[in-house]
Amino acid sequence: MKIVTLLLVFLCYFFNQDFVSAQLKVGFYSSSCPMAETIVKSVVKEKFKSDHSITGALLRLHFHDCGVRGCDASILIDSDPTNNQTSEKDSNPNFTVRGYELIDEIKKKLEVNCPSTVSCADIITLATRDVVSLAGGPKYTIPTGRRDGLVSNASEVDLPGPNRSVPEILAFFKTLGLNKNDMVTLLGAHTVGVTHCFFFQSRVSNFRGTEKPDPTMDPELVTKLFKLCNTSIPPTTLDDVPTTFLDQNTSFVVDNQFYKQILLKKGVLKIDQELALDKLSAPIVSRFAANGNAFRQSFAKAMVKMGSINVLVGDDGEIRKNCRVFNK
């Protein structure tokens, strides 16, 4: 009886998710705010001209938002010290997430043209889509109609770190309704962006307490990263911590070079390198490394799928006037 009950709950959950996702549609704002997507694209394009690193920043912001409570822009909420409320953005896993000011800029322009119409959740989704295209990645259409969440608690953020194993990361993805192919594809977002030394330093100096580097990392890369991270002046702020590109080749382009790099033992993060070594993910890595079009197609589909995780639609949630605070 318990098994039957659990099965029914499981089926109802995914049926409900499919139903909610179906309420999103391409061109949702065509009548209520016809210039919405044009405005988003123009602001993103202007930012991209001066800062190509915004691609990796938005991809990470989008994933970190959808990974907690779904794609509801809860990561954008500022903490409220007057209520002792710490929001998602101030949790440890989100400490290095950025891109908030760009979302603010887009929201400000949309509020002038269409007050209280376009959700912050949709802004994140559309801005990420547009920056992926600008960075040479696939162009794809994505449905809109998301609404903004009403809760943002740091205590709810439980995103897996870069030192987790492939099975552990896959288990997390499955809780979001994503599969193995989605996992390998979306981690391919590491084809752009940077990471700080504290996320990988043990791999180049004292891997698992051995006082030696990780044997699965290319020796030349070990030498390069060791010199980068072992500076004579200790960093005092996050901005002082050295960073390196996750893709050591085409660092600002959304392409399949990331997979080629990890096949050459040039994965900077532990999870990146394990994608190429673990039997669960290695075949997919090899396929994407050999076929750039296969990666592009899979990436577009996975981004649309991720953007539908636990979305709020209809009368749920709200349309924030300011992405950083809940409406009064």
Side-chain angles (χ1 to χ4, degrees):
M1 187 65 180
K2 286 185 178 180
I3 295 176
V4 173
T5 302
L6 287 173
L7 180 60
L8 287 173
V9 170
F10 180 82
L11 291 174
C12 287
Y13 170 80
F14 283 100
F15 175 79
N16 182 62
Q17 287 305 114
D18 290 341
F19 175 74
V20 170
S21 297
Q23 291 184 265
L24 300 178
K25 67 176 182 178
V26 174
F28 180 85
Y29 299 106
S30 58
S31 297
S32 60
C33 189
M35 293 295 290
E37 296 198 25
T38 300
I39 291 171
V40 174
K41 185 175 293 186
S42 65
V43 177
V44 172
K45 187 175 182 179
E46 194 61 31
K47 177 65 175 178
F48 183 79
K49 286 180 182 179
S50 61
D51 181 12
H52 283 10
S53 73
I54 194 63
T55 308
L58 285 181
L59 280 165
R60 190 158 183 251
L61 172 67
H62 191 18
F63 178 75
H64 279 230
D65 178 47
C66 295
V68 182
R69 284 189 166 268
C71 307
D72 66 349
S74 53
I75 195 173
L76 303 180
I77 294 294
D78 284 339
S79 295
D80 185 357
T82 61
N83 293 328
N84 293 319
Q85 182 65 47
T86 305
S87 65
E88 289 178 23
K89 70 165 55 171
D90 290 323
S91 65
N92 286 335
N94 292 331
F95 191 53
T96 57
V97 173
R98 60 187 184 89
Y100 302 113
E101 292 78 11
L102 178 60
I103 303 301
D104 291 338
E105 184 180 351
I106 296 170
K107 181 61 173 175
K108 185 176 180 179
K109 291 193 174 185
L110 286 170
E111 284 298 301
V112 171
N113 286 267
C114 315
S116 300
T117 303
V118 182
S119 70
C120 301
D122 275 341
I123 293 174
I124 295 174
T125 307
L126 291 170
T128 304
R129 177 200 65 180
D130 293 338
V131 82
V132 165
S133 175
L134 288 168
K139 296 180 179 180
Y140 56 92
T141 56
I142 195 160
T144 46
R146 297 163 189 78
R147 288 171 65 85
D148 300 322
L150 301 172
V151 177
S152 181
N153 291 326
S155 61
E156 294 185 353
V157 180
D158 188 24
L159 299 167
N163 290 320
R164 296 284 187 89
S165 66
V166 169
E168 288 173 327
I169 298 289
L170 178 57
F172 172 75
F173 271 75
K174 285 183 176 179
T175 66
L176 303 179
L178 301 173
N179 59 35
K180 180 172 62 177
N181 192 76
D182 297 326
M183 175 194 71
V184 180
T185 301
L186 291 171
L187 285 174
H190 289 175
T191 182
V192 288
V194 300
T195 187
H196 294 76
C197 277
F198 48 72
F199 283 121
F200 63 84
Q201 193 161 7
S202 65
R203 293 193 68 210
V204 300
S205 57
N206 187 25
F207 183 64
R208 293 179 178 172
T210 62
E211 297 185 2
K212 296 179 180 179
D214 185 342
T216 67
M217 183 184 282
D218 173 69
E220 290 186 9
L221 182 59
V222 168
T223 301
K224 175 184 175 182
L225 297 182
F226 183 85
K227 290 179 180 178
L228 172 74
C229 297
N230 287 272
T231 58
S232 57
I233 303 175
T236 56
T237 67
L238 179 63
D239 291 337
D240 296 331
V241 179
T243 62
T244 189
F245 292 112
L246 289 166
D247 177 349
Q248 298 286 307
N249 192 0
T250 53
S251 307
F252 292 115
V253 183
V254 177
D255 57 16
N256 68 332
Q257 286 297 315
F258 166 76
Y259 300 102
K260 294 184 178 183
Q261 292 287 295
I262 60 178
L263 286 178
L264 295 173
K265 296 186 176 182
K266 293 183 178 180
V268 176
L269 298 176
K270 179 175 177 288
I271 182 56
D272 290 349
Q273 192 54 62
E274 288 202 1
L275 285 177
L277 300 173
D278 194 286
K279 62 181 181 181
L280 286 171
S281 51
I284 303 174
V285 169
S286 296
R287 177 161 60 89
F288 288 159
N291 190 333
N293 285 331
F295 166 65
R296 290 172 65 86
Q297 292 172 8
S298 186
F299 192 74
K301 290 179 181 178
M303 288 298 293
V304 173
K305 189 173 179 181
M306 184 185 78
S308 299
I309 295 172
N310 294 337
V311 293
L312 300 172
V313 295
D315 295 326
D316 292 334
E318 64 181 8
I319 304 295
R320 287 185 215 140
K321 298 177 186 291
N322 179 344
C323 291
R324 290 176 179 264
V325 295
F326 301 119
N327 294 339
K328 297 293 184 181

